[in-house]
């Protein structure tokens, strides 16, 4: 009969692979992106990751598909694999984008502290690379996160910085997104005049882009304001 020792020796490689995979899954659930990316290096050392057969872009596409299907844990792990490869290739812009997407994943999962950490790391990299669009996109998401958490001053500050960047690079969609976020924030605080102004500006930008979904979301916000102010007729006519 085969002894335990003989079994372990015979299957040592697969036991090592399983242990590495379990470590990555646990890190993805409980620790930061940096920790999981480091553990992914261990995994690649064990199984010899083949980057030729599975490109980074394919990994990102797979992660997005998992996210859209609601498989947050699978999406997180796949984004972590892409993050490891970007770091291995010394692609700091790609690294920043993956950290941003991981921040979005953590926000969806309700891990707000981890979301803030990932987004903060992404913001630092975009600043270092003087990537104004990337910086603006992260600031917009940080604004959403802080607004969701009730940190209104921080949210307004992040929105304001994002708006400056979007205006400097003349990104109308980005400007519209920030103005909508500001409208939501001001409405939440009962500052209806400021909210109305932000929504009107956002609506005009969405209209100029023929972005019907963006415009519809802003119209909902305008309708909420009109109802709260008792202007039921105006709300109906928006």
């Amino acid at each position: 009969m085969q002894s335990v020792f003989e079994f372990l020796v015979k299957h040592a490689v697969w036991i090592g692979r399983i242990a590495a995979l379990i470590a990555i899954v646990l890190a993805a659930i409980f620790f930061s992106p940096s920790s999981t990316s480091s553990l992914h290096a261990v995994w690649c050392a064990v199984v010899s990751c083949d980057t030729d057969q599975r490109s980074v872009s394919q990994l990102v596409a797979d992660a997005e598909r998992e996210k859209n299907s609601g498989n947050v844990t699978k999406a997180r792990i796949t984004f972590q694999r892409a993050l490891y490869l970007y770091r291995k290739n010394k692609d700091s812009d790609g690294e920043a984008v993956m950290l941003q997407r991981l921040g979005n994943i953590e926000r969806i999962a309700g891990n707000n502290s981890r979301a803030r950490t990932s987004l903060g790391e992404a913001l630092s990299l975009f600043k270092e690379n003087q990537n104004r669009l990337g910086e603006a996109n992260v600031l917009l998401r940080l604004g959403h996160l802080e607004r969701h958490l009730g940190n209104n001053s921080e949210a307004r500050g992040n929105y304001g910085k994002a708006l400056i960047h979007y205006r400097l690079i003349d990104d109308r969609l980005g400007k519209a997104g920030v103005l909508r976020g500001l409208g939501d924030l001001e409405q939440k605080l009962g500052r209806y005049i400021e909210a109305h102004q932000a929504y009107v500006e956002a609506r005009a930008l969405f209209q100029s882009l023929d972005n019907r979904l963006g415009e519809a979301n802003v119209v909902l916000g305008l309708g909420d304001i009109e109802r709260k102010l008792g202007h039921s007729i105006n709300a109906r006519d928006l």
Side-chain angles (χ1 to χ4, degrees):
M1 185 173 180
Q2 187 180 47
S3 69
V4 174
F5 177 76
E6 290 173 337
F7 176 85
L8 292 175
V9 171
K10 182 178 180 179
H11 300 285
V13 173
W14 280 105
I15 292 171
R17 291 179 178 180
I18 293 169
L21 181 59
I22 291 172
I24 291 170
V25 172
L26 292 175
I29 296 172
F30 296 108
F31 300 107
S32 69
S34 297
S35 300
T36 314
S37 183
S38 298
L39 282 169
H40 185 263
V42 176
W43 169 253
C44 283
V46 174
V47 302
S48 301
C49 291
D50 188 346
T51 58
D52 293 329
Q53 292 182 2
R54 194 171 180 80
S55 66
V56 180
S57 59
Q58 184 60 53
L59 282 174
V60 174
D62 289 347
E64 286 292 338
R65 186 167 54 253
E66 296 293 354
K67 183 190 75 174
N68 294 334
S69 300
N71 298 322
V72 174
T73 300
K74 287 183 179 179
R76 182 190 290 117
I77 292 172
T78 308
F79 276 135
Q80 290 285 3
R81 293 180 64 189
L83 175 63
Y84 164 78
L85 292 176
Y86 277 123
R87 284 175 170 167
K88 180 180 178 182
N89 295 330
K90 302 188 185 303
D91 183 340
S92 56
D93 266 337
E95 178 183 353
V97 171
M98 288 306 99
L99 286 165
Q100 177 184 324
R101 294 190 182 188
L102 281 164
N104 296 339
I105 283 286
E106 298 302 349
R107 182 175 169 234
I108 291 170
N111 300 321
N112 298 313
S113 178
R114 291 173 63 182
R116 187 185 288 113
T117 297
S118 291
L119 291 171
E121 291 180 26
L123 183 62
S124 296
L125 284 172
F126 281 131
K127 282 182 177 178
E128 288 176 14
N129 295 339
Q130 297 183 336
N131 186 327
R132 197 177 290 279
L133 177 59
E135 193 174 344
N137 289 337
V138 174
L139 285 165
L140 175 59
R141 283 155 181 79
L142 281 168
H144 293 335
L145 176 63
E146 299 300 349
R147 190 189 81 222
H148 173 72
L149 295 175
N151 301 324
N152 302 316
S153 295
E154 290 84 352
R156 185 180 287 107
N158 286 321
Y159 282 143
K161 292 174 186 176
L163 188 57
I164 290 171
H165 287 303
Y166 284 131
R167 282 175 172 161
L168 285 171
I169 59 177
D170 195 25
D171 186 319
R172 287 182 292 165
L173 183 59
K175 286 187 286 185
V178 172
L179 288 164
R180 182 196 166 195
L182 280 169
D184 291 343
L185 175 63
E186 300 300 357
Q187 182 184 174
K188 171 186 170 184
L189 297 175
R191 294 161 54 93
Y192 299 127
I193 294 175
E194 291 84 353
H196 186 274
Q197 180 180 349
Y199 282 143
V200 167
E201 290 183 47
R203 185 181 187 182
L205 286 166
F206 282 127
Q207 286 177 331
S208 72
L209 295 165
D210 198 25
N211 187 321
R212 295 183 181 276
L213 178 58
E215 183 184 357
N217 288 328
V218 171
V219 168
L220 286 175
L222 285 167
D224 287 340
I225 291 175
E226 296 294 344
R227 279 189 291 273
K228 289 174 181 176
L229 294 175
H231 302 160
S232 56
I233 295 177
N234 291 343
R236 189 177 62 228
D237 293 340
L238 283 170

